Amino acid sequence: MSKDVGDFGRPPLAAENKDLVEQRLKEVAAGTGLQETLTIEWRMKPQVVQVIDMPVESLYYNPGTHRIRAQRSFDPAQDRRLDDDPWSDESQSYLQHLLQAEPADPSKRDKDFEELKQSLKEFRQNEPGLITREGILVNGNTRAAALRELGVAHIRVGVLPDSCTWGDINTVELALQLRPDTRRDYSYINQLLAIDEQVEAGRPLREVARDFRIRETTAELDRKVLSVLRDLSDRSTTESAQLRLLDFEDAQEKLREVCKAYAKEAKADPKQAELLKENRLAAIVMEFSKTDVRLIEADFRTRYLEHRLPDELKVAPTATPERVIPGINRAVRAEAPQVVAARAFTDSVLRAKAVIRAGDKVPVAQAEKAASVFEVAHQAVEDALEPAGKDARVRKRKQAAPDRLYDACQDIEQCITDMVLARGSRSLDEEALEEAVLKLKSSLSKLALATAQSIEVPGDGVAWLLDAVRQEES
């Protein structure tokens, strides 16, 4: 295998595996039976590779696989060992553990892995995996882990050309994993990392989005989500703990909605957008539901939360000085005091959660203090959500009637267009139109009655409606 950027080196049994692969390829080529092949995308072109049987115990898990990229940080010490020596027994055992684990919580066994294992037990291997000639698994890492647990001696695998590089391995793995028939999709965070990696490598976002079978706008949104997650991870750092990207695995839709809402609000008022983002991110960190998070607007803290927070979770709004960019002496506008306070609250919650997630890796006193901070903050936000929800329901009821009238106006405008087209083709159903107009007349009369009973001081629009109905009745 050729050298490349990000090269993990050659595994210890590389030479032995290469000899065995070459021997089996020759045996298959010399045979008279039907030969199994696998078609892959190789350097922008379809390539047919030969499939052989290999001892599953002699193969190596790919330390660069995108399937568990985020989960590697589950155990920082093991993660560092993977970088230093990816082929050691300890590193390979850690990879096997992650391949069997639940993406959102690698301390638990993944039910999807159990289903894959049961399928292999009942129906055996349907699709071949893929390896390098040195015995590194490019595709089929999870299947190899399941086959090892089942005690199956051999795995069917296609073999990449001898000239493959680590860049080829990454590209081929992504192409195969993104096929519609793949058994086990990437987790959300791993997909974010894979998209970002491809774009950073110079590929157009449009092409990357197409490979992942998503819209370009969705891929762009997901890159913004990843940026937010990295920022949250950095802000959660304490002396002994830090949240990992995988800790946000189950917050996919909530994070996307926050980024959409932030982008929309930022066009009108950047300060309000920052407040909205920080308020909602704090709620996401505390694992409130998507419905609850939607209730949180830019004024959530000042209207509902501020007076419910204990003093230790409040930051007095103070003006921050402007920053000057070195070299060009240009001043950068300082953050508004309200944004500083909102960010500080989010940071407090992030750091508390990081310590809680660290478990027995932090002192008991520190863990208890973090749990207390998190509980108090959670209760304050929960209490604040109750009046926020009531106000939201009131606003929705107030806006419901006008919204329906606007929708009806749009339907009437479309009706006018349809009538013009029908007149040109002489296809208008005049009897049906007469019935519909009479129905409209009846509905307008009812609307006039309802508005007369509901509105004390009618404006121009309501006054016109009431006059029109009175003239019709007289």
Side-chain angles (χ1 to χ4, degrees), residues 305-444:
L305 181 61
E306 186 72 29
H307 62 280
R308 291 180 168 86
L309 287 175
D311 292 338
E312 61 267 24
L313 286 176
K314 290 181 180 180
V315 173
T318 56
T320 55
E322 290 186 340
R323 293 183 293 112
V324 177
I325 301 176
I328 63 175
N329 293 325
R330 177 177 293 179
V332 179
R333 183 180 297 177
E335 285 187 325
Q338 294 84 354
V339 175
V340 173
R343 190 185 299 276
F345 176 68
T346 305
D347 288 349
S348 297
V349 175
L350 282 165
R351 289 191 288 267
K353 187 169 184 177
V355 172
I356 293 170
R357 286 291 178 95
D360 56 7
K361 297 176 183 177
V362 298
V364 174
Q366 186 181 0
E368 290 177 348
K369 182 179 178 181
S372 175
V373 169
F374 192 86
E375 183 180 352
V376 170
H378 191 283
Q379 188 61 54
V381 173
E382 186 174 359
D383 291 343
L385 281 168
E386 185 175 349
K390 290 180 180 178
D391 286 353
R393 289 190 290 273
V394 170
R395 287 194 300 271
K396 188 174 181 180
R397 286 197 298 270
K398 287 182 176 180
Q399 195 62 32
D403 283 347
R404 292 187 186 278
L405 271 183
Y406 278 118
D407 290 343
C409 290
Q410 291 178 356
D411 287 340
I412 291 175
E413 292 290 339
Q414 183 62 49
C415 173
I416 295 170
T417 302
D418 293 341
M419 286 181 65
V420 172
L421 295 174
R423 183 178 61 195
S425 60
R426 295 184 178 180
S427 58
L428 180 63
D429 188 336
E430 296 183 5
E431 292 184 3
L433 178 63
E434 177 67 19
E435 291 179 6
V437 172
L438 289 173
K439 177 65 176 175
L440 174 61
K441 176 184 175 183
S442 173
S443 297
L444 287 174

Side-chain angles (χ1 to χ4, degrees), residues 142-392:
T142 313
R143 276 171 284 171
L147 290 171
R148 282 177 174 172
E149 280 206 354
L150 291 170
V152 177
H154 290 81
I155 181 174
R156 291 175 16 254
V157 288
V159 182
L160 284 177
D162 195 24
S163 63
C164 79
T165 65
W166 278 100
D168 292 324
I169 289 175
N170 288 334
T171 301
V172 172
E173 182 208 4
L174 276 176
L176 288 172
Q177 290 296 335
L178 294 175
R179 285 181 177 178
D181 60 351
T182 185
R183 277 193 175 274
R184 196 176 177 221
D185 292 334
Y186 283 157
S187 72
Y188 178 59
I189 303 298
N190 285 324
Q191 178 168 309
L192 296 185
L193 291 170
I195 290 173
D196 188 64
E197 177 187 286
Q198 293 291 299
V199 174
E200 289 299 316
R203 292 191 64 200
L205 183 61
R206 180 179 63 261
E207 292 182 7
V208 177
R210 183 188 61 216
D211 289 348
F212 279 84
R213 299 188 298 280
I214 59 177
R215 293 192 180 103
E216 184 177 356
T217 52
T218 303
E220 185 176 2
L221 177 63
D222 280 344
R223 293 197 76 205
K224 292 177 181 176
V225 170
L226 181 59
S227 177
V228 169
L229 288 178
R230 284 171 168 161
D231 180 56
L232 292 178
S233 177
D234 290 342
R235 290 164 58 184
S236 73
T237 305
T238 69
E239 293 181 358
S240 54
Q242 181 181 17
L243 288 175
R244 305 150 300 187
L245 296 183
L246 66 89
D247 290 319
F248 299 93
E249 188 70 64
D250 295 329
Q252 172 180 349
E253 292 304 320
K254 288 182 278 189
L255 289 165
R256 278 179 170 172
E257 288 191 4
V258 167
C259 288
K260 286 180 182 178
Y262 174 81
K264 182 178 180 180
E265 186 69 33
K267 294 177 182 178
D269 190 331
K271 172 190 166 184
Q272 293 296 99
E274 289 294 332
L275 287 170
L276 172 68
K277 183 179 75 170
E278 289 299 326
N279 289 338
R280 290 194 177 186
L281 286 177
I284 291 173
V285 173
M286 289 184 278
E287 301 181 11
F288 281 94
S289 70
K290 184 164 61 174
T291 304
D292 285 339
V293 173
R294 286 173 179 167
L295 296 174
I296 297 175
E297 299 293 343
D299 61 353
F300 177 77
R301 181 184 175 94
T302 54
R303 290 188 65 183
Y304 308 108
L305 181 61
E306 186 72 29
H307 62 280
R308 291 180 168 86
L309 287 175
D311 292 338
E312 61 267 24
L313 286 176
K314 290 181 180 180
V315 173
T318 56
T320 55
E322 290 186 340
R323 293 183 293 112
V324 177
I325 301 176
I328 63 175
N329 293 325
R330 177 177 293 179
V332 179
R333 183 180 297 177
E335 285 187 325
Q338 294 84 354
V339 175
V340 173
R343 190 185 299 276
F345 176 68
T346 305
D347 288 349
S348 297
V349 175
L350 282 165
R351 289 191 288 267
K353 187 169 184 177
V355 172
I356 293 170
R357 286 291 178 95
D360 56 7
K361 297 176 183 177
V362 298
V364 174
Q366 186 181 0
E368 290 177 348
K369 182 179 178 181
S372 175
V373 169
F374 192 86
E375 183 180 352
V376 170
H378 191 283
Q379 188 61 54
V381 173
E382 186 174 359
D383 291 343
L385 281 168
E386 185 175 349
K390 290 180 180 178
D391 286 353

